[in-house]
Amino acid sequence: MPRTTDILLTGIAPAIWGSTYIVTTEFLPQGYPLTAAMLRALPAGLLLLIIVRRLPEPALWARILVLGALNFSVFWSLLFLAAYRLPGGVAATLGALQPLMVIFLARAALNRPILPVSVIAAVAGVGGVSLLVLTSKAALEPWGMVAALAGALSMAAGTVLSRKWQPPVSALTFTAWQLTAGGALLLPVAFWAEPALPKLSTENLLGFVYLGAIGAALTYVLWFRGVRNLEPAALSTLGFLSPVSAVLLGWIFLDQNLSVLQLIGFGVVLASIWLSQRPHVPFWKGPPLPAR
């Protein structure tokens, strides 16, 4: 399949993830971040397991648990923690550092060269996201910043290791295993740390179904397909589409205004995504790493 198709299909995932904020705030009961994350991951993973009807080989269980934790349990928990402690703009900007982390983790774990275009695109993307979401009233709370950076590192590591540990199975099967593992790890934590959910309304149920079926099952099948087919640095910059989508949805559905700086941010983000897909010669390959 042409590379352009791979990019477009993979980009659908972060574009849909941008709807998570509006769905969470408008449809879900507030104050249950871990429970919401668990209900987003576990039912979706079990549904996909029923479809694929295949469990990982015992030798893969440890790796699947690590990937499920990095991509879902740890990442989503830290994401919610950062969202509670920081303004959304600060959390999104710190999270946008993930592509830079991927570049250096891919060098260490996959022996990928560091490309100047990838670094430039990643830095430009961070700048574009900051123009999109940062405000003059943004506050910096230390533990919130730690959570945001740790969450970005968790997903960056999950992205790279998903490429490194990719088993010979379909993206659908790989997604089913990771979502189930991530949701299962969240289950006892959510049960211990949060009270029971109140009686759910129709809107609450629709929100959970959307986040599980569309925001988790569908999007992560597309994402892990991209992990298999695209270079990690090019893949990770597609994540910039998430804040772009979130701002657009806020403008369309929540009557939020768009400033000139935000419009410039849109352009910078889209340019950085385009730039990251260009093949260039590495400016630093470093000493060859041993084969893994």
Side-chain angles (χ1 to χ4, degrees):
M1 185 175 290
R3 186 169 181 275
T4 300
T5 303
D6 289 334
I7 294 169
L8 293 174
L9 286 175
T10 306
I12 292 172
I16 291 177
W17 294 338
S19 66
T20 300
Y21 175 78
I22 192 170
V23 172
T24 300
T25 56
E26 300 298 316
F27 287 85
L28 300 189
Q30 300 303 298
Y32 301 87
L34 296 176
T35 302
M38 182 272 295
L39 290 176
R40 184 182 180 186
L42 187 56
L46 293 174
L47 175 62
L48 293 183
L49 272 183
I50 292 172
I51 294 173
V52 301
R53 291 185 295 179
R54 180 176 180 180
L55 293 175
E57 300 294 328
L60 295 176
W61 288 357
R63 289 184 174 183
I64 296 300
L65 283 172
V66 170
L67 293 177
L70 290 173
N71 285 317
F72 300 108
S73 308
V74 175
F75 172 57
W76 283 353
S77 298
L78 291 172
L79 188 68
F80 278 117
L81 179 59
Y84 274 107
R85 289 179 172 267
L86 294 172
V90 176
T93 302
L94 292 173
L97 292 169
Q98 183 211 133
L100 274 174
M101 298 176 181
V102 167
I103 290 170
F104 292 100
L105 289 174
R107 169 61 191 165
L110 302 174
N111 202 16
R112 292 295 193 272
I114 296 177
L115 304 178
V117 68
S118 299
V119 176
I120 293 169
V123 172
V126 174
V129 169
S130 67
L131 289 175
L132 270 174
V133 297
L134 279 182
T135 68
S136 58
K137 298 180 180 179
L140 303 179
E141 196 273 340
W143 286 112
M145 295 177 65
V146 170
L149 290 171
L153 181 60
S154 179
M155 188 173 181
T159 297
V160 172
L161 289 178
S162 292
R163 175 66 175 257
K164 181 179 176 65
W165 291 343
Q166 172 78 50
V169 298
S170 68
L172 186 68
T173 301
F174 200 30
T175 305
W177 294 349
Q178 290 197 51
L179 276 172
T180 303
L185 290 171
L186 277 169
L187 182 61
V189 179
F191 181 80
W192 174 78
E194 294 178 351
L197 284 171
K199 183 178 179 180
L200 299 179
S201 66
T202 301
E203 285 188 346
N204 297 154
L205 292 172
L206 288 174
F208 280 122
V209 169
Y210 172 82
L211 288 179
I214 306 299
L218 172 63
T219 55
Y220 276 97
V221 170
L222 295 173
W223 185 254
F224 288 129
R225 181 186 176 281
V227 166
R228 182 183 61 201
N229 295 334
L230 298 173
E231 281 297 307
L235 170 83
S236 62
T237 55
L238 293 174
F240 291 143
L241 291 171
S242 184
V244 168
S245 172
V247 171
L248 284 175
L249 290 171
W251 174 61
I252 295 170
F253 293 106
L254 301 180
D255 295 324
Q256 296 174 349
N257 295 323
L258 286 178
S259 67
V260 174
L261 284 179
Q262 286 180 304
L263 294 175
I264 295 172
F266 277 121
V268 173
V269 168
L270 295 178
S272 72
I273 294 172
W274 176 84
L275 185 63
S276 69
Q277 312 303 323
R278 306 299 95 194
H280 284 257
V281 178
F283 73 93
W284 182 72
K285 296 181 67 173
L289 297 178
R292 288 176 170 82

